[in-house]
Amino acid sequence: MTGTSETSQRAGAKTVLVTGATGYIGGRLIPRLLEAGHRVKVLVRSPEKIAGVPWLGKVDVIHSSLDDGEALRQGLAGVDVLYYLVHSMAAGAGFEAKEKAMAETVAKAATDAGTTRIVYMGGLHPANANLSTHMRSRETVGKVFLDSPVDAIVFQAGVVIGSGSASFEMIRHLAETLPFMPAPSWVRNKIEAIAVRDVLHYLVGAASLEGHINRTFDIGCRQVLTYAGMMKEYAAEAGLPYRVVLALPIPAPKLAGMWVALTTPIPLSMALPLVQSLQDDAVSGEHDIDQYIPQPDGGLTSYRTAVALALGKERDGQVETTWANAGADADPLPSDPDWAGHKVYMDERTFHGDVDPAHVWTIIEGIGGRNGWYSLPLAWQVRGWLDKLTGGAGLLRGRRHPGNLAAGEVVDWWRVERIERGRLLRLRAEMRAPGRAWLELSVEPDGDGSLYRQRAIFFPKGLSGKLYWLAVLPFHSLIFPAMSRNITAAAQKLASADAGSENLQASP
């Protein structure tokens, strides 16, 4: 365990343990729990993924996994409320059994530790419906907690709308990309969305509820739309022309999942379960939560307002967490320079510029997303689409903030593996390739200027990996030299702009 809570607990505050702290909801919930005066513990499998979060020094960090019952019992010592905000988007044989077994381990550890409440986020769905694998698994996990000796509050929510949420990104990209959209029949299904701020309001409120409460609560914005209607409302709020959505009399969840994966940042592994979860109506069957947790000041957030808030957060670079930054563990670069015995291919470039290293670093840290990669945009786009076609991340994921990065965050098809602010940025590739790849960008002082270094590193997997490297060499010979030159040139342009601004301010 590391870190010590600096938050003075208010009267009635609890000690809480949050699982899923690196996820979309968990990463936003923690600072709000701290603000409410609770003492917060977080359980993470990869502590490096929260190394850059602003609340790190205010929480106790437990390095463990949810299938380690003994570590869970120790971590839950003195904990009043356990937030279980974990749901894998994996699939395959045994997926549901593994999810259920992990929930049972958590429930037993909570019982043994004397925890008084478990709070879980499940999915909104009709009663007795033939649910998809993932929705059925979430229902099963909720039932495990409700059947355990520990009281459980299971919130059931539909589509969560907020900056950086997977559901919002799916709606946004479909609406912006396709002015006319032939779609499966499920776009006519009734959906009750909920703003992420309202989800967090209920989650925080659940910690302070008194008495024994063991049940599900449906939560939503109380406004029912069809999925097609949600895309049209998004288009109206975003100032786009009217979108025509033609519902075809076929469900086609797998085909629709592949289409979503190609046209949005959502990878196929996540697009399929998201689309499958839309096969049924998702509307609140009761509003009992009002008797326990009052609505937020000003009432619940309407769908259109939630969209406007999400767009504003993205426009202002104030996205707290994103779906893309959650769930992937680091795959560290083997030791340099001997590479721990690995076969390695490398493309290394250096470039001297008569510019302050600080300006070069600003360009490095802002790379990707809307700023691009400073060389042959068409070549990057083609590689991105090829990656999408094979089920990879592609280039559509973008980045959380236009100028700041933290370890574990996503930058297009890369993930930040290491950042030494002002000096080094190492990106690990999450594209589909027969091997493992990294891109390392660094800058250091060099006389009166700076020396920019750039390394593309590839560990091939078998013969296919070696052939892949040979196939991309011609593209590397065009992309990487231009990239090193253009990054330095962009830094020089930034330095000139800053100097001009200073001269204007100095003028009488």
Side-chain angles (χ1 to χ4, degrees), residues 403-472:
N404 297 324
L405 289 175
E409 289 192 343
V410 155
V411 183
D412 295 333
W413 65 42
W414 308 91
R415 189 173 296 271
V416 179
E417 183 172 278
R418 182 178 177 185
I419 182 168
E420 297 176 17
R421 190 153 278 106
R423 196 188 78 81
L424 172 75
L425 175 65
R426 181 182 297 156
L427 303 172
R428 172 171 50 88
E430 294 185 344
M431 70 184 83
R432 292 297 180 97
R436 296 184 293 162
W438 290 261
L439 179 63
E440 194 175 80
L441 313 176
S442 64
V443 64
E444 60 187 59
D446 186 22
D448 294 331
S450 59
L451 182 65
Y452 168 80
R453 295 183 184 275
Q454 175 182 295
R455 295 198 303 172
I457 304 157
F458 183 68
F459 290 6
K461 183 178 180 181
L463 178 60
S464 60
K466 297 175 182 178
L467 294 175
Y468 170 82
W469 179 261
L470 291 174
V472 298

Side-chain angles (χ1 to χ4, degrees), residues 14 114-118 146 148-153 206 208-215 217 292:
K14 310 290 185 181
T115 300
T116 56
R117 176 170 294 151
I118 297 173
L146 291 168
S148 78
V150 180
D151 283 352
I153 292 177
S208 300
L209 290 177
E210 298 298 333
H212 292 287
I213 306 170
N214 190 65
R215 57 163 295 177
F217 289 102
Y292 296 83

Side-chain angles (χ1 to χ4, degrees), residues 310-347:
L311 288 172
K313 291 285 188 182
E314 292 192 347
R315 182 177 58 251
D316 298 338
Q318 296 179 356
V319 181
E320 292 180 65
T321 59
T322 74
W323 65 270
N325 288 342
D329 292 324
D331 186 14
L333 181 65
S335 57
D336 184 11
D338 62 4
W339 310 109
H342 288 267
K343 173 66 177 177
V344 61
Y345 294 115
M346 186 165 60
D347 184 296

